[in-house]
Amino acid sequence: MNEPESRRHLLKVTGLRAAAGGKEIIHGVDFEVHGGEVHVVMGPNGSGKSTLAHALMGRPGTTVTAGSVTLDGVELLELASWQRARAGLFLALQQPIEVPGVGLEAVMAEALDRPGDDRARGDDLGDRLRAEAAAIGFDERFLHRALNVDLSGGERKRNEMVQLGVLRPPFCVLDEIDSGLDVDALGAVARRLEQATRQWGLGVLAVTHFHRLLVELRADVVHVLVAGHIVATGGPELAEELEHTGYGAYAAS
Amino acid sequence: MTGPRRQARALPDSEEPEVAGPTGSNPAQKRKGRALDTFTAAGAAQLGGPEWLQQRRARAFADFEVLPLPSEKEELWRYTPIDELELGGYRPAAGPAGDPIAELMADAFLNDLSEELGERSALVVVRNGAPVSFVRTGLPEPVSLGGLAIASGETILGSVVGDGDSLVRLNDAFVPDAVVVDVPPGVLVEEPIVIVHWCDGEVAGAEGAPASFPRTVVRVGRDAQASVVEVVAGAPGSVRALVLPVTELIVEDAGVLSYVSLQVLGTGAWHLARLSGQAGRDARLRVFTVGLGGAYDRSRTDCVLLGQGGSSELRSAYLGTRDQIHDIRTLQDHAAPQTTSSLLCKGAVAGTSRSVYSGLIRVRNGAVRTEAMQTNHNLVLDERAHADSVPNLEIEENDVRCSHASTVGPVDEDQLYYLESRGVPPERAEELIVLGFFDDIIDRSPIGSVAGRLRREVRIRLAEALGIGADANG
Ligand SMILES: Nc1ncnc2c1ncn2[C@@H]1O[C@H](COP(=O)(O)OP(=O)(O)OP(=O)(O)O)[C@@H](O)[C@H]1O
Ligand SMILES: [Mg+2]
């Protein structure tokens, strides 16, 4: 809606190194995502994509050893995960976690319970949840289930999207949001994201294995992550190239 | 699978060391001797009632005199503080007319409770084990509800639990009267029958703390259905009280019985409950016990499946705060072919509290094509708290499917991270997860109308345990 203003948001990653299980997995990566942009990260299994996502969000067990991650100038690495979320970063997990007995609405109410934010209030939240669910064809009755409990893989991904839509952060990291989604759901999710980039200037960093998401999302920038290094950055044509050549060409680097 | 085992505990300080010598110098025997000072044959005889009941009490008392008290050395009482039970410090509680302050508290509790429990078909109020009122509010005519004087009382009392141990015998000897529910074949009772027990606690200046012996017997006839809620409350604050309830549940062929018990005694009470259930052919028995109060809270639930196709569903929830001890023992006993049992016990320990879950699946010879499931999850909310989980199988048949799973540990790190990654602060995330842990089992309560109250009782205690004041009903 008011896109020029939101374009000012900036997520800046500089010289980021991260380790998990006692060994370094991310060996120094740099990139910048502006509000409203869609960046895609591709790379072979085990190249460190999820580790990068967790390093940004501050998952316990993923240790950042060097570098900086700023959101509009605020150093996220000095903040706890929940503060990073409140500073404006959202992470949709590759494998969303089951939390028995805990409802989506309760979690969203807590997440939005901040001074000066009235989105958590009363019926409002219920309406927003329903609207977001409708936008991506997510059955409303799933909104009342405990978080991710008894949900299929694709339903869990859509659940993540509903949360993104309710929280409306400036930036999101989507770890394989497309895996597990059927064709129709993929289309709906991509449309919702694309719309969000305009609606509130959402900046997207989407990890994926599939060219298809890129096309649907109209990605602006593609990063190729191999063995913990960004080995190439380019436009969507880069992904098209990968479709044909695979990651073999980057193996040596 | 199981937490670290505790060392055998030393004898309480007050005990003299065991020395070789004449009988009576043994600590257990000494304790027994003191118990016989306050629990006497004359006391049991004074309780009155029908002739058969008086004789039954006298026999039970004679047994109690010679039976040993339970001991931590027995597997059934391992990890418990039972050796600290000083029966001599208690005396049989005064009858229904106890002290007036307790009366007021009981009334207030009852008012509050009855608003929240919603629709019911009858309300029974029991004071110190003695039923004081039976109010029917839509209970179908053919259903018998009353004390042991009703026709079937004599035949069904004790028919499931048998003679039991010395504590069951003590209940048999000092039970003032029982609550008997007898649902004839084919009768459907829609709304639950609610039984509220109020048990007095110690009064300053009085000699010895009161001991109550609640007793409930429910029989659901062939093709009949009913649900029963029992609430055990009283001894508010941290005064001493001993509550030894015995509940017997009988479900005849193709009957369905749903049963929920909620124990919310004060933090000074010892509550040692014994529940024995049996289900006939194609019968279904659903039991949910919730233990929240008490200094020591024991819940032993044995369900035997006697007829082909019978099933039991056992659920239990417990929450330990301060220095409470919760002790849950279960037996899923399969004595007939094609029987099914599923058990889910969930508990949390905070502060310096601890819990024991010990459960046995027994498949007897001939109980082919049995399916039995046993799951126990424990959340340890404080480094000083401790939970033991001891699942056991005893299987005498080949063609069976049995499984058990148990976990003991702190709040799951991944769940915490997941909620935090949405912007939920860690303390709130932990609170949501722990509440959810309980909601998950409360949502499966066999009687839906009590879920709200169960949730509220859990929330109040969790708020205290996690050190959060406000928002207890959120
Ligand atoms: N906690 C850990 N302990 C040890 N090794 C780990 C840990 N976490 C990740 N790794 C290793 O780090 C590497 C990168 O893992 P990561 O999950 O980031 O890969 P990915 O690029 O997301 O892969 P995929 O495409 O399969 O999702 C892998 O080799 C993985 O085994
Ligand atoms: Mg990954």
Side-chain angles (χ1 to χ4, degrees), chain A residues 54 57-60 81-82 85-86 90-91 93 96-102 107 110-111 147-148 160 163 167, chain B residues 346 412-415 417-428 432-437 439-440 443 471:
Chain A
H54 288 308
M57 202 69 221
R59 177 192 169 139
S81 297
W82 69 278
R86 290 186 173 209
F90 179 87
L91 169 61
L93 295 185
I97 311 281
E98 280 186 33
V99 194
V102 178
V107 173
E110 288 295 344
L147 271 187
N148 299 314
E160 298 285 273
Q163 297 177 45
L167 296 174
Chain B
K346 295 183 83 169
D412 185 74
E413 224 185 34
D414 288 335
Q415 292 178 350
Y417 170 60
Y418 184 61
L419 296 198
E420 285 182 43
S421 74
R422 322 282 108 164
V424 181
E427 323 78 62
R428 298 295 289 150
L432 281 174
I433 293 167
V434 179
L435 286 174
F437 175 83
D439 279 350
D440 175 59
D443 287 343
D471 240 22

Side-chain angles (χ1 to χ4, degrees), chain A residues 20-21 23 25 44-51 94 176 209:
Chain A
K23 71 172 201 248
I25 292 163
N45 291 133
S47 58
K49 303 180 298 296
S50 293
T51 305
Q94 183 172 355
E176 298 194 24
H209 288 294

Side-chain angles (χ1 to χ4, degrees), chain B residues 181-258:
Chain B
V181 179
D182 196 2
V183 184
V187 174
L188 305 185
V189 183
E190 300 271 335
E191 310 295 351
I193 296 164
V194 177
I195 304 166
V196 182
H197 298 269
W198 182 272
C199 303
D200 292 350
E202 189 170 24
V203 177
E207 204 178 314
S212 303
F213 302 93
R215 187 82 184 227
T216 302
V217 192
V218 180
R219 176 165 67 183
V220 170
R222 174 186 283 266
D223 292 313
Q225 288 188 17
S227 51
V228 174
V229 176
E230 272 198 286
V231 179
V232 179
S238 56
V239 295
R240 293 194 312 146
L242 179 64
V243 182
L244 294 177
V246 176
T247 301
E248 297 176 86
L249 307 175
I250 303 158
V251 196
E252 295 184 338
D253 297 353
V256 181
L257 172 59
S258 300

Side-chain angles (χ1 to χ4, degrees), chain B residues 23-361:
Chain B
T23 1
S25 60
N26 174 306
Q29 280 176 12
K30 272 195 173 175
R31 275 209 314 279
K32 189 60 188 294
R34 286 194 289 271
L36 294 173
D37 291 343
T38 52
F39 295 91
T40 62
Q46 208 183 296
L47 291 163
E51 187 59 31
W52 67 264
L53 179 59
Q54 301 201 32
Q55 283 172 11
R56 194 176 185 279
R57 285 200 199 98
R59 279 197 309 276
F61 186 81
D63 289 349
F64 172 73
E65 276 184 306
V66 295
L67 281 171
L69 290 174
S71 146
E72 286 164 41
K73 293 195 186 76
E74 298 165 63
E75 183 57 38
L76 265 172
W77 293 91
R78 255 174 99 177
Y79 308 115
T80 74
I82 194 66
D83 288 357
E84 289 165 28
L85 175 64
E86 265 294 354
L87 274 175
Y90 300 93
R91 51 169 178 77
D99 97 281
I101 305 217
E103 190 89 49
L104 286 175
M105 289 189 292
D107 286 349
F109 175 78
L110 197 63
N111 282 336
D112 179 50
L113 184 74
S114 58
E115 271 175 35
E116 199 161 351
L117 288 186
E119 294 292 308
R120 59 179 168 255
S121 58
L123 175 66
V124 181
V125 178
V126 183
R127 186 78 188 278
N128 295 326
V132 292
S133 70
F134 296 88
V135 178
R136 303 171 73 115
T137 46
L139 189 65
E141 183 78 43
V143 177
S144 303
L145 173 69
L148 283 166
I150 71 173
S152 47
E154 184 178 357
T155 43
I156 59 179
L157 180 69
S159 67
V160 193
V161 74
D163 284 349
D165 59 9
S166 55
L167 298 182
V168 172
R169 293 317 267 155
L170 197 59
N171 179 291
D172 278 328
F174 289 94
V175 61
D177 195 355
V179 177
V180 182
V181 179
D182 196 2
V183 184
V187 174
L188 305 185
V189 183
E190 300 271 335
E191 310 295 351
I193 296 164
V194 177
I195 304 166
V196 182
H197 298 269
W198 182 272
C199 303
D200 292 350
E202 189 170 24
V203 177
E207 204 178 314
S212 303
F213 302 93
R215 187 82 184 227
T216 302
V217 192
V218 180
R219 176 165 67 183
V220 170
R222 174 186 283 266
D223 292 313
Q225 288 188 17
S227 51
V228 174
V229 176
E230 272 198 286
V231 179
V232 179
S238 56
V239 295
R240 293 194 312 146
L242 179 64
V243 182
L244 294 177
V246 176
T247 301
E248 297 176 86
L249 307 175
I250 303 158
V251 196
E252 295 184 338
D253 297 353
V256 181
L257 172 59
S258 300
Y259 173 88
V260 174
S261 76
L262 167 66
Q263 185 272 105
V264 287
L265 289 159
T267 57
W270 275 43
H271 171 257
L272 290 82
R274 180 75 185 257
L275 187 153
S276 291
Q278 68 180 44
R281 194 183 173 104
D282 296 322
R284 190 159 173 224
L285 175 57
R286 309 173 73 200
V287 173
F288 184 22
T289 64
V290 181
L292 300 175
Y296 171 43
D297 166 47
R298 176 180 172 94
S299 155
R300 173 171 163 190
T301 302
D302 297 5
C303 283
V304 58
L305 301 172
L306 293 172
Q308 182 163 349
S311 70
S312 72
E313 199 180 278
L314 307 183
R315 310 248 180 269
S316 186
Y318 44 98
L319 167 60
T321 61
R322 307 176 190 205
D323 55 357
Q324 282 186 309
I325 300 170
H326 291 286
D327 169 18
I328 286 82
R329 311 274 157 162
T330 60
L331 172 63
Q332 294 157 269
D333 194 353
H334 293 256
Q338 284 172 295
T339 45
T340 311
S341 71
S342 81
L343 171 140
L344 175 67
C345 290
K346 295 183 83 169
V349 281
T352 56
S353 69
R354 58 190 180 84
S355 67
V356 188
Y357 167 75
S358 173
L360 176 65
I361 294 175

